[in-house]
């Protein structure tokens, strides 16, 4: 099989991205235009502004990706684009442009699930490092601003299949980071700044109730259904246990802590000061934060990390997996990386993360996930559309 150069396009949220990846294993170029500055004044992503920004950025970003890869529109072998999940209006910009390119250039079009992209970010980088050996079954935790999902991933022929064995019942972990940061006057996006501030606080200072979903709720069916359905089945078959998450409680607990400890004046002061600085640095945040805020930030991050690591490792051992992937924007978090590293080593389980630039949204992961589809000639029809709630299976 000769090398295939796939142009990937990603526009599901607030990053316009394009990349060229060779045969699913080598990043030739990877361009990401972030819209953070546009959304920052609103403290979160504004969907309509996101679509407009994608429209503005998509042509130059794709051009830049081709230029940096020393490729042309004509030389690439296929166009891959994110179909969903994500913001519908944002997805449509990438999809329309990818369709136009595919039609005009007469190149195959590949539709990729964004979550599959995050999983393939790990594989892409491992292959790039020369590690062709990934042992199955693989458990992948996809943890980002929009998602907190656990997937059992398997390779079938050329393609991949995924079984969801857990997801968040309410907020995604990244969403909790963003909402808590907003609440504390730290600005948007919250994850990166909480990550940098947390080492300056005491993670044991504030106790949060563990975000525990009751065992009975973890199953997909109700108790009566279970009893009828399970008659005559082995213990293992009955226990298709679910490992669901819940992060809205901790956000409310932070809010309550702020109110009880009358932290509003210091938070308002911090918010004001940061809004007057163009790109606040860590020292700026530290200069305007008091001990209580830093302790709260550190304790919040510890609670989220412990919950993600605890449930993921419990799922890994219940499903006897051989390898763990942790990917998505929150996988950039330092404490999450180190805690996963230590805890999975204890369990004798290899854990792989993407590098930080490949943890957050990018198009290299989309081009990489498209490669098995390209080999299988699993091309997208010209009438396919964006699917905001696209499920991965
Ligand atoms: O994967 P991503 O770029 O977009 C989605 O698909 O959602 O993830 C963005 C999310 C945001 O919620 C952001 O706050 C979070 O990832 N994030 C982090 C870190 N870097 C980004 N969360 C914790 N620690 C970080 N270092
Ligand atoms: Zn993402």
């Amino acid at each position: 099989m000769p090398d295939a150069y796939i142009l990937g396009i990603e526009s599901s949220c607030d990053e316009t991205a394009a990349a060229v990846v060779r045969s699913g294993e080598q990043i030739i170029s990877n361009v990401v235009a972030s819209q953070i500055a546009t959304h920052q004044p609103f403290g979160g992503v504004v969907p309509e502004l996101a679509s407009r920004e994608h429209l503005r950025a998509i042509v130059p970003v794709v051009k830049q990706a081709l230029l940096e890869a020393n490729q042309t529109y004509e030389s690439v072998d296929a166009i891959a684009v994110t179909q969903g999940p994500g913001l519908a209006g944002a997805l449509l910009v990438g999809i329309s442009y990818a369709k136009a390119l595919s039609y005009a250039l007469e190149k195959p079009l590949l539709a990729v699930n964004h979550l599959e992209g995050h999983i393939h970010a790990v594989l892409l980088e491992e292959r790039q490092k020369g590690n062709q050996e990934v042992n199955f079954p693989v458990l992948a935790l996809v943890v980002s601003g929009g998602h907190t999902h656990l997937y059992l991933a398997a390779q079938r022929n050329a393609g991949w299949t995924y079984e969801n064995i857990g997801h968040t019942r309410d907020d995604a972990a990244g969403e909790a980071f963003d909402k808590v940061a907003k609440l504390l006057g730290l600005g948007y996006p919250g994850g990166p700044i909480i990550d940098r501030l947390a080492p300056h606080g005491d993670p044991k200072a504030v106790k949060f109730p563990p975000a525990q979903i009751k065992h009975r709720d973890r199953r997909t069916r109700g108790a009566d259904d279970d009893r009828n359905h399970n008659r005559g089945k082995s213990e293992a078959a009955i226990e298709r246990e679910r490992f669901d998450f819940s992060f809205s409680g901790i956000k409310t607990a932070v809010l309550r802590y702020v109110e009880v400890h009358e932290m509003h004046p210091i938070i308002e002061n911090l918010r004001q000061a940061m809004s007057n600085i163009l790109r606040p640095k860590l020292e700026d945040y530290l200069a305007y934060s008091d001990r209580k805020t830093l302790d709260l930030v550190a304790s919040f991050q510890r609670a989220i990390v412990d919950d993600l690591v605890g449930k993921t490792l419990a799922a890994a051992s219940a499903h006897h997996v051989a390898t763990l992937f942790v990917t998505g924007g929150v996988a950039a978090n330092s404490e999450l990386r180190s805690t996963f590293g230590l805890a999975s080593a204890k369990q004798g389980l290899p854990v792989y993360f993407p590098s930080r630039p490949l943890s957050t949204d990018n198009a290299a992961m989309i081009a990489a996930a498209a490669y098995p589809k390209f080999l299988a000639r699993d091309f997208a029809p010209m009438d396919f559309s964006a699917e905001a709630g696209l499920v991965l299976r």
Side-chain angles (χ1 to χ4, degrees):
M1 182 71 197
D3 282 335
Y5 290 82
I6 297 183
L7 169 66
I9 295 175
E10 152 66 37
S11 70
S12 67
C13 191
D14 59 344
E15 261 101 23
T16 317
V20 176
V21 174
R22 192 183 67 221
S23 306
E25 61 178 26
Q26 187 72 42
I27 300 174
I28 313 296
S29 68
N30 187 23
V31 177
V32 181
S34 167
Q35 303 178 1
I36 284 179
T38 303
H39 302 291
Q40 218 147 30
F42 304 96
V45 179
V46 183
E48 180 170 337
L49 292 183
S51 307
R52 287 169 190 268
E53 287 303 306
H54 285 308
L55 209 46
R56 205 193 300 276
I58 191 92
V59 176
V61 164
V62 169
K63 252 190 193 156
Q64 187 67 22
L66 290 170
L67 189 74
E68 288 181 17
N70 220 355
Q71 294 278 324
T72 63
Y73 292 106
E74 288 75 23
S75 67
V76 293
D77 295 291
I79 322 283
V81 66
T82 306
Q83 181 179 11
L87 302 168
L91 290 161
L92 288 174
V93 176
I95 293 173
S96 305
Y97 189 54
K99 279 189 184 184
L101 284 182
S102 155
Y103 181 76
L105 301 167
E106 298 181 10
K107 309 266 181 196
L109 182 61
L110 301 148
V112 175
N113 185 307
H114 181 81
L115 302 172
E116 182 170 27
H118 276 302
I119 293 170
H120 280 259
V122 181
L123 289 158
L124 164 62
E125 288 199 306
E126 287 311 309
R127 292 195 188 113
Q128 197 161 263
K129 285 182 223 157
N131 175 14
Q132 301 286 351
E133 280 297 311
V134 170
N135 292 321
F136 289 88
V138 168
L139 179 67
L141 170 67
V142 183
V143 62
S144 70
H147 314 278
T148 306
H149 287 298
L150 281 169
Y151 292 103
L152 287 174
Q155 213 170 3
R156 299 262 153 76
N157 307 319
W160 286 73
T161 58
Y162 306 90
E163 183 192 348
N164 184 283
I165 58 160
H167 64 86
T168 179
R169 298 285 181 98
D170 38 59
D171 293 349
E175 198 177 350
F177 271 97
D178 294 339
K179 285 179 176 170
V180 163
K182 190 175 178 182
L183 183 71
L184 298 179
L186 298 170
Y188 166 84
I193 180 62
I194 288 182
D195 188 355
R196 284 154 67 214
L197 280 180
H200 298 272
D202 175 5
K204 295 200 183 81
V206 185
K207 295 269 173 287
F208 290 109
Q212 200 67 55
I213 302 276
K214 284 193 220 91
H215 182 79
R216 188 179 166 279
D217 292 346
R218 283 184 182 175
R219 312 247 183 94
T220 37
R221 293 181 202 85
D224 287 342
D225 280 357
D226 272 353
R227 267 194 295 277
N228 293 331
H229 185 84
N230 293 332
R231 211 164 280 142
K233 281 195 177 174
S234 72
E235 200 47 34
I238 294 166
E239 278 299 306
R240 283 319 267 184
E241 226 184 311
R242 294 201 53 88
F243 293 89
D244 285 348
F245 300 93
S246 169
F247 295 112
S248 72
I250 192 166
K251 177 193 64 192
T252 314
V254 171
L255 178 63
R256 206 171 306 122
Y257 188 91
V258 164
E259 280 165 0
V260 168
H261 294 84
E262 294 171 354
M263 291 171 68
H264 289 297
I266 184 86
I267 290 173
E268 223 21 71
N269 192 33
L270 178 63
R271 195 190 313 276
Q272 277 294 327
M274 293 310 111
S275 65
N276 291 331
I277 303 173
L278 187 59
R279 273 191 199 84
K281 295 192 191 63
L282 178 62
E283 303 83 73
D284 299 320
Y285 286 104
L286 288 172
Y288 288 91
S289 303
D290 64 350
R291 170 83 5 234
K292 258 204 162 50
T293 307
L294 293 173
D295 286 351
L296 184 56
V297 162
S299 303
F300 162 77
Q301 180 172 283
R302 174 64 56 88
I304 298 272
V305 165
D306 282 351
D307 191 58
L308 287 170
V309 174
K311 287 217 180 92
T312 304
L313 288 184
S317 94
H319 288 269
H320 309 289
V321 306
T323 305
L324 202 57
F325 288 2
V326 183
T327 184
V330 181
N333 187 270
S334 314
E335 188 175 355
L336 187 74
R337 285 175 178 253
S338 57
T339 309
F340 255 120
L342 291 172
S344 58
K346 259 195 206 149
Q347 220 164 289
L349 192 64
V351 57
Y352 297 104
F353 290 87
S355 64
R356 280 188 171 79
L358 249 63
S359 295
T360 48
D361 288 350
N362 64 84
M365 68 186 197
I366 301 303
Y371 182 62
K373 299 179 204 299
F374 176 78
L375 291 181
R377 302 183 63 78
D378 180 10
F379 303 141
M382 267 297 170
D383 63 353
F384 94 93
S385 191
E387 271 198 48
L390 187 64
V391 171
L392 179 62
R393 37 172 88 88

